[in-house]
Amino acid sequence: MLSDFRVFRLVIPAAITITAASCGGRAMPSTAPTVSPVTSQSSSIDRLTIRRGEQRVEVDSPLVAGRRVERLAHQAGGYVEQSSGSTDGTVSVVARVPAAKLDEVMDSIATFGKERRRQLSGTDVTDQYADLDARLRSNIALRDRLQALLARAATLDEVLKLEQQITRLQSEIDALQARIDRLRTDVALASLSVTFETQRVLGPLSVAGKGVARAVSWLFVIK
């Protein structure tokens, strides 16, 4: 029969070995789904960036323009996350579109009316992804080693202790995988926020007022 001391003699070296692997050694092979490795020394082509776009456009009908954005997003391979309107007729749409098509989609939206504002931004998440990936691989390798020890456990106490460790590791693995999947989605699909406002049409008095103001300003222009 194996003693508790012998179980921890088996488990602790396994943890030390895997920790050393995550710091530069070779990780144990795993049957878990593979994750594309990303290193901090990757070239600019391999950098992972989350892109975001913001746009404000004046249109004749904000409601119609909002529906057009929904169709445009679907055609580009994306979708609309949120759409809302206010009492002043303003319509806001938040969509997700393929990052490679963000500029093209924004150019199309600009043709809906008069573009008043456009802003593009990006966040580099390459290092964050690489860190999560390394932690995931390390935990998967340690879980697999503990499962191998579990298969050789001789007492109920050993089984319970090993299963507790495996359950904890599996929970961490699931959480890390969820964060990685979220990063992948955010990199693949850019976020686009569009605000449509009713285009202002000057009335006769406003037009006349602007004309008078322009004429008066000419009186003070010497050159």
Side-chain angles (χ1 to χ4, degrees):
M1 302 291 285
L2 293 174
S3 65
D4 290 350
F5 177 72
R6 185 178 176 185
V7 172
F8 284 102
R9 271 177 47 190
L10 292 172
V11 173
I12 293 174
I16 295 175
T17 301
I18 301 306
T19 301
S22 67
C23 296
R26 296 180 59 186
M28 295 288 293
S30 171
T31 57
T34 59
V35 180
S36 300
V38 178
T39 63
S40 58
Q41 291 79 24
S42 297
S43 65
S44 58
I45 297 177
D46 299 322
R47 305 301 292 182
L48 302 179
T49 304
I50 297 176
R51 300 190 68 198
R52 301 179 183 84
E54 294 182 19
Q55 207 167 8
R56 182 167 62 88
V57 184
E58 289 185 354
V59 295
D60 293 334
S61 174
L63 185 59
V64 172
R67 291 171 181 168
R68 291 180 65 185
V69 169
E70 184 173 357
R71 291 195 297 269
L72 191 61
H74 283 299
Q75 291 171 0
Y79 59 92
V80 170
E81 280 188 329
Q82 182 181 351
S83 181
S84 61
S86 60
T87 55
D88 62 357
T90 300
V91 171
S92 298
V93 180
V94 178
R96 301 298 294 272
V97 298
K101 296 183 179 180
L102 178 60
D103 297 283
E104 178 184 341
V105 170
M106 294 182 76
D107 287 341
S108 297
I109 292 174
T111 65
F112 292 179
K114 192 168 186 177
E115 186 178 48
R116 291 296 187 181
R117 180 173 180 270
R118 179 188 295 206
Q119 181 176 347
L120 287 167
S121 61
T123 303
D124 190 317
V125 294
T126 309
D127 293 339
Q128 181 182 353
Y129 183 97
D131 177 65
L132 292 173
D133 178 67
R135 290 165 58 190
L136 176 65
R137 290 175 180 275
S138 177
N139 282 350
I140 288 176
L142 180 55
R143 180 204 60 188
D144 292 346
R145 178 64 65 86
L146 292 178
Q147 287 176 336
L149 293 176
L150 179 62
R152 300 196 299 270
T155 68
L156 178 60
D157 186 53
E158 293 169 359
V159 169
L160 292 177
K161 289 178 179 177
L162 287 170
E163 285 185 340
Q164 183 179 18
Q165 291 294 319
I166 292 171
T167 299
R168 179 184 61 79
L169 278 171
Q170 188 60 53
S171 177
E172 293 179 6
I173 288 170
D174 292 340
L176 288 169
Q177 187 63 64
R179 292 177 63 183
I180 287 175
D181 291 343
R182 179 63 181 176
L183 276 181
R184 285 174 171 168
T185 298
D186 290 342
V187 169
L189 293 175
S191 176
L192 174 59
S193 300
V194 186
T195 300
F196 292 111
E197 299 174 347
T198 303
Q199 195 165 16
R200 295 183 179 88
V201 179
L202 296 178
L205 292 178
S206 297
V207 173
K210 290 185 66 176
V212 171
R214 187 179 300 111
V216 171
S217 66
W218 287 344
L219 296 177
F220 295 93
V221 176
I222 298 176
K223 185 177 180 181

